[in-house]
Amino acid sequence: QGLYLVEQSNKYGVINTKGEIVVPVRYDAVDINYEKSSYHDNKTYLSAKRTDGNYDLYDEQGVLVSD
């Protein structure tokens, strides 16, 4: 998919093959979900765990779709 997990100072994010930030490096954990389904319009989604224990959901272009 061309998405890569990055870590800096015990915080995580995701970059693409161009080195562009897709998910900001500020989360306690990030999960790249490569399972594409019609429910998600055949896109890859990334869930990012915030410090408050809740999650933000990004699409593969880095658009925050749910917080």
Side-chain angles (χ1 to χ4, degrees):
Q1 286 295 352
L3 298 174
Y4 302 94
L5 185 66
V6 292
E7 182 266 334
Q8 182 178 23
S9 301
N10 293 319
K11 294 295 179 182
Y12 298 89
V14 175
I15 61 171
N16 62 20
T17 55
K18 296 177 183 177
E20 300 167 329
I21 295 172
V22 177
V23 174
V25 183
R26 65 176 183 217
Y27 292 97
D28 290 341
V30 175
D31 179 41
I32 300 172
N33 180 0
Y34 286 117
E35 292 183 27
K36 296 185 177 189
S37 68
S38 59
Y39 176 76
H40 289 125
D41 300 328
N42 291 322
K43 291 184 180 179
T44 297
Y45 285 88
L46 307 106
S47 59
K49 185 177 181 182
R50 302 189 311 234
T51 55
D52 64 5
N54 291 313
Y55 289 83
D56 289 339
L57 185 67
Y58 289 85
D59 71 11
E60 58 195 349
Q61 281 77 40
V63 176
L64 181 64
V65 294
S66 177
D67 57 359

